[in-house]
Amino acid sequence: MLFQRAAAWGHGGTGGHSAGDEARVRHDFWAKVGRVASRLPLAEDFLAAYYCAFDRATPLQVKAALLGALAYFVLPFDFVPDFLPLIGFTDDAAVLLTALRLVAGHVRPEHHAAAREALERMRTGRG
């Protein structure tokens, strides 16, 4: 895997995030992306945000913004339910794109490379 530097949110200075929060986002994010990746036009951006959020080199306030947007994506409640055709992920995309605009300078090429690699693994059934 190109991107190996995952941050440990539950270890000091996390601004209130617990190890349980980290574990839930990590697990639920991959489960949901695996189910809907082929239908998400912004799948690479979602994955790049994930890799940036868990990169040890990413500043804490950037991690917090991205983790909040990713948590909105994985949590079962939504303003627009995800199961609705065509519009189900519009609110998720809007939240994530807003967070990405705020922290765009921190999402680096290696985050996008890791995202492309993960998408390729999903498409070929290798992970």
Side-chain angles (χ1 to χ4, degrees):
M1 177 183 234
L2 291 172
F3 193 77
Q4 298 284 331
R5 298 181 305 175
W9 272 78
H11 297 92
T14 61
H17 296 288
S18 71
D21 294 339
E22 174 189 354
R24 178 163 187 182
V25 169
R26 285 180 187 266
H27 176 269
D28 292 355
F29 178 82
W30 287 110
K32 190 166 186 177
V33 166
R35 285 191 312 270
V36 300
S38 64
R39 296 185 296 166
L40 293 176
L42 302 169
E44 183 180 324
D45 294 317
F46 275 50
L47 287 166
Y50 174 89
Y51 285 113
C52 182
F54 289 104
D55 182 348
R56 291 182 188 274
T58 301
L60 185 59
Q61 67 274 20
V62 173
K63 290 179 185 190
L66 291 173
L67 187 62
L70 293 168
Y72 184 81
F73 173 65
V74 300
L75 291 174
F77 64 87
D78 247 327
F79 288 116
V80 180
D82 293 340
F83 63 84
L84 293 174
L86 301 175
I87 63 167
F89 291 104
T90 56
D91 59 327
D92 299 312
V95 168
L96 183 63
L97 288 175
T98 300
L100 283 170
R101 276 198 160 162
L102 292 172
V103 301
H106 297 280
V107 181
R108 296 189 315 271
E110 61 261 30
H111 300 139
H112 283 282
R116 285 189 297 276
E117 184 179 288
L119 283 171
E120 183 61 26
R121 281 195 315 272
M122 282 184 238
R123 289 180 183 126
T124 61
R126 294 183 292 137

